Each structure stands twice: as structure tokens, then as C-alpha cells.
């Protein structure tokens, strides 16, 4: 069974296109878990308008932020194969098939993506600006991904055994995808697919901005210390 876990927050502008791209390639027994973090726009109305039994909505109980809202979605998942999905990207039609094929010989798969940016201020049209690997190339190993995160959540899928080892999420994580990547690098088999399998929108509403960080030196140092302690203590 496939579980697609999506964390949403005021994603009404793009979520219909993303859900259409996902649902069109999933079998009837798959599930798409939408964990909402308190959207005030039409996000949930759009999600509910699909009327698709594969979609399961988790309404907000309190605002958790992207990391622990993803944890909530993952906790609710039931599938053996788990995909992470952002609310504003576009899956290529062959993504699920190619990732599942790669998971036959791996426990976690990470793939490349085409980066999209608005071609005009209104955001009514988008252009590809290159591949994710051009600015965040994948590197294997715990040390490499502890020092600088090479994992981008919307480009990863994994077996349930990875999730079982990663739960519960430690406190004070810099990002959920980095933690999942570190657990996979330490304990499991990781496979990298060089082909871009999504279009990845970069805009002002993103929770993560590739290539830049507003965190200061002290915050980055604390994150690395907390991550090192968490991964060292994991058994």
C-alpha cells in the first residue's frame, strides 16, 4: 500500500494541480493524508471538492509548523511505501512507478527535480530555472548530511521500516527531511535517482528556500549539536 503524506497551510493557489498530478497515478487502495496546519484560505475546500475516498484530511488541532505537521501526517499513515509531497509542486506522471521500482532494491529513494520560479510578479506563469541537483547535489553518508542537508522532502519516498526507526521525531529539528535522511543513511539502503520526477515551485510562500537560510551561526550550530546527539543516541 502507498501512503502520500502532505502538510498543508494556505496552499489553495496550487494544491488542486498538485493533487491531480498525484491521484492520477495512484492505485485505488492508496491513501493521501492531508494534514492541515490551520489554513485560512480555501485549501481544505479545494481538497474536499475532490470527493476522492483515497484522501484523508487531518484538520488542525493547533499550529505545529511544517516539521511536526509532517510528523502528524506520517503518524497517521498506514502504507508500506511512504511518499512525502508538498502542497504546491507537480508530480510527473511516471513518478510513483519509477520510485517504487527503485524501492525494490532500497529502503529510501531520493530523486532530482526541476526548479520552477515565476516568470512574472503575478505568478501566473512559471519557468524552469535548472535542476535541484545544480544547487543541492545529493551526497551520501551521515556526516555529509549532518553538516549540510542534502535531503529535500518532496523528492523522497521510503519503506515503513525507515519511519519506524525515525519515530518519534526529536525536538528542535531543523527540518524533518534531514532527520529522515540521516536515519536512512545510518541504518538503511539509500538509492539516488538522477532523473527529475517533479516540478518544484520556489516562491515566497515556501517553508524551505533552496540555496539560502536566514538562520544565524548560533542557530545552525545548535541544530547540528542536537542532530548529532539524536543520531548518536538512535539505535
Amino acid at each position: 500500500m502507498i501512503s502520500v503524506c502532505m502538510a498543508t497551510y494556505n496552499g489553495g493557489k496550487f494544491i488542486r494541480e498538485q493533487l491531480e498530478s498525484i491521484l492520477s497515478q495512484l492505485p485505488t487502495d492508496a491513501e493521501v493524508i492531508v494534514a492541515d496546519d490551520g489554513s485560512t484560505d480555501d485549501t481544505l475546500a479545494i481538497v474536499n471538492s475532490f470527493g476522492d475516498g483515497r484522501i484523508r484530511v487531518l484538520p488542525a488541532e493547533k499550529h505545529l509548523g511544517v516539521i511536526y505537521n509532517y510528523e502528524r501526517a506520517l503518524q497517521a499513515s498506514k502504507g508500506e511505501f511512504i511518499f512525502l509531497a508538498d502542497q504546491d509542486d507537480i508530480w510527473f506522471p511516471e513518478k510513483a512507478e519509477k520510485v517504487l521500482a527503485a524501492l525494490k532494491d532500497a529502503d529510501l529513494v531520493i530523486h532530482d527535480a526541476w526548479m520552477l520560479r515565476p516568470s512574472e510578479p503575478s505568478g501566473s506563469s512559471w519557468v524552469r530555472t535548472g535542476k535541484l541537483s545544480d544547487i543541492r547535489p545529493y551526497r551520501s553518508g551521515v556526516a555529509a548530511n549532518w553538516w549540510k542537508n542534502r535531503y529535500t522532502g518532496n523528492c523522497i519516498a521510503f519503506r515503513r521500516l525507515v519511519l519506524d526507526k525515525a519515530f518519534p521525531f526529536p525536538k528542535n529539528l531543523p527540518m524533518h527531511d534531514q532527520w529522515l535522511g540521516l536515519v536512512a543513511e545510518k541504518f538503511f539502503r539509500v538509492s539516488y535517482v538522477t532523473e527529475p520526477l517533479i516540478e518544484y515551485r520556489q516562491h515566497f510562500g515556501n517553508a524551505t528556500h533552496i540555496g539560502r537560510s536566514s538562520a544565524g551561526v548560533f542557530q545552525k550550530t545548535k541544530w547540528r549539536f542536537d542532530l548529532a546527539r539524536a543520531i548518536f543516541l538512535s539505535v
Side-chain angles (χ1 to χ4, degrees), residues 106-125:
D107 302 306
L108 183 146
V109 168
I110 177 170
H111 61 75
D112 208 348
W114 285 109
M115 306 295 290
L116 294 185
R117 293 193 184 277
S119 60
E120 53 189 52
S122 66
S124 59
S125 61

Side-chain angles (χ1 to χ4, degrees), residues 47-195:
V47 173
N48 290 326
S49 73
F50 278 80
D52 192 310
R54 293 172 292 181
I55 298 175
R56 184 151 49 103
V57 176
L58 306 180
E61 299 174 357
K62 60 180 180 178
H63 186 72
L64 296 173
V66 62
I67 298 169
Y68 297 100
N69 195 34
Y70 263 114
E71 182 184 33
R72 186 166 69 107
L74 290 164
Q75 286 171 332
S77 69
K78 300 176 181 177
E80 168 61 23
F81 302 102
I82 301 164
F83 290 69
L84 297 186
D86 287 354
Q87 64 186 2
D88 46 8
D89 301 326
I90 305 166
W91 282 24
F92 290 165
E94 66 277 12
K95 166 168 170 157
E97 179 183 358
K98 291 186 175 181
V99 169
L100 289 172
L103 281 169
K104 290 179 180 179
D105 300 309
D107 302 306
L108 183 146
V109 168
I110 177 170
H111 61 75
D112 208 348
W114 285 109
M115 306 295 290
L116 294 185
R117 293 193 184 277
S119 60
E120 53 189 52
S122 66
S124 59
S125 61
W126 296 74
V127 295
R128 289 181 180 177
T129 58
K131 295 181 180 180
L132 175 61
S133 57
D134 295 334
I135 52 179
R136 183 183 277 185
Y138 170 68
R139 296 285 185 270
S140 63
V142 172
N145 288 282
W146 165 74
W147 184 255
K148 184 176 183 180
N149 183 27
R150 307 288 181 165
Y151 280 83
T152 304
N154 55 357
C155 295
I156 67 173
F158 43 89
R159 294 177 178 271
R160 177 156 295 277
L161 53 82
V162 176
L163 188 60
D164 291 342
K165 179 67 75 171
F167 271 165
F169 281 7
K171 300 301 182 185
N172 304 316
L173 286 179
M175 280 304 288
H176 58 287
D177 48 18
Q178 186 173 16
W179 174 244
L180 290 164
L182 286 171
V183 170
E185 293 285 351
K186 181 176 180 180
F187 295 105
F188 302 106
R189 301 168 299 165
V190 176
S191 177
Y192 178 60
V193 176
T194 59
E195 181 180 358

Side-chain angles (χ1 to χ4, degrees), residues 14 88 116-118 126 201-206 208-209 212:
F14 305 116
D88 46 8
L116 294 185
R117 293 193 184 277
W126 296 74
R201 295 188 206 261
Q202 285 285 285
H203 54 86
F204 289 116
N206 286 120
T208 302
H209 295 278
R212 66 183 188 273

